[in-house]
Amino acid sequence: MFAMKFALLLILAYLIGSFPTGVLVGKLFYHKDIRDYGSHNIGTTNTFRVLGPKAGTLVFLVDFFKGTLATCLPRIFHLGGHHLCLIFGAAAIFGHAFSIFLKFKGGKAVATTAGFLLGYNVQFFGLCACFFIPLLLITSMVSLSSLISVVLIFISSFFFHDTFLTVMSGVLVVLIWWSHRANIKRIIAGNENLVSFGLYYHIKQKQDKDKDKKE
């Protein structure tokens, strides 16, 4: 009975993670396939850039809380074992990155990963937010902030004395860095997309204005 319940809920967690929020929001409300614009990614950042803040916020919230919901399935259905939440959270993250609804393609799973962290350990999630938010305000790059944050998250996991969390954090480092391969190339080349706020964004804007004045 446990094995059957576990298997069905694990499939459900994967399907929740696979829900292609960005694609559906784009097609239903804007008659655009988000995959045909910008970075071609289905996640929050590209949605903000292509469809605007309302769509971007909606995509972020749904992608975030689908990670939280999937992670909490063992608690909701009294499956037992706090560490089972890690497995279900991982299934949702995997689902977002390799969605069955998108021919096993998907997004970079940053928002879904954040939702998973909230569902698993609120204190750890708070610490991770303390990494990501200041980095984003400094770098003005979601990609670079995510890449640095996930490494800091992995290192911080050791202080929580939770082997399962540390292993999961290590897996996330590999997944996030692998899914950001194109972003890493753009960061190195100096042409990565910026969000319209933050220290680096304003420095870049000032440099561009000064350059225009000289020309």
Side-chain angles (χ1 to χ4, degrees):
M1 186 66 180
F2 172 83
M4 178 65 72
K5 189 175 183 181
F6 175 86
L8 290 175
L9 288 177
L10 191 63
I11 293 171
L12 177 60
Y14 169 78
L15 292 175
I16 291 172
S18 293
F19 184 77
T21 316
V23 175
L24 290 177
V25 168
K27 287 186 174 181
L28 290 175
F29 300 109
Y30 297 86
H31 308 294
K32 290 182 177 180
D33 189 333
I34 193 71
R35 295 170 294 181
D36 295 333
Y37 301 88
S39 65
H40 311 292
N41 189 263
I42 66 170
T44 300
T45 305
N46 197 40
T47 305
F48 260 103
R49 190 178 298 119
V50 175
L51 303 179
K54 290 183 180 179
T57 301
L58 177 59
V59 169
F60 169 77
L61 290 174
V62 175
D63 283 351
F64 179 91
F65 284 111
K66 72 185 186 183
T68 304
L69 175 61
T71 303
C72 292
L73 285 177
R75 297 188 196 126
I76 295 171
F77 290 93
H78 308 290
L79 199 61
H82 179 62
H83 292 110
L84 285 178
C85 294
L86 282 172
I87 299 173
F88 283 77
I93 293 168
F94 185 81
H96 183 85
F98 306 99
S99 173
I100 191 172
F101 303 115
L102 301 176
K103 298 180 180 179
F104 298 102
K105 295 180 180 179
K108 295 168 184 174
V110 174
T112 305
T113 297
F116 145 71
L117 292 172
L118 176 64
Y120 183 73
N121 188 313
V122 176
Q123 290 78 16
F124 190 62
F125 168 78
L127 178 63
C128 297
C130 289
F131 292 144
F132 181 81
I133 294 173
L135 281 168
L136 181 59
L137 293 176
I138 293 170
T139 67
S140 302
M141 287 182 256
V142 175
S143 56
L144 183 57
S145 301
S146 301
L147 291 166
I148 297 173
S149 293
V150 76
V151 174
L152 295 175
I153 288 168
F154 173 63
I155 295 171
S156 300
S157 69
F158 287 94
F159 295 95
F160 281 75
H161 307 291
D162 186 334
T163 303
F164 295 96
L165 179 61
T166 299
V167 171
M168 180 62 183
S169 299
V171 172
L172 287 175
V173 171
V174 176
L175 177 62
I176 297 296
W177 277 71
W178 181 84
S179 65
H180 282 78
R181 300 186 308 283
N183 301 83
I184 293 171
K185 291 179 180 178
R186 289 196 296 269
I187 291 170
I188 294 172
N191 55 14
E192 174 63 320
N193 295 315
L194 305 179
V195 295
S196 56
F197 58 84
L199 179 61
Y200 184 69
Y201 173 79
H202 289 294
I203 291 174
K204 189 75 172 173
Q205 289 287 98
K206 188 177 184 303
Q207 289 176 339
D208 291 342
K209 288 180 181 179
D210 291 342
K211 185 178 180 181
D212 291 338
K213 287 179 181 178
K214 290 179 180 179
E215 293 177 351

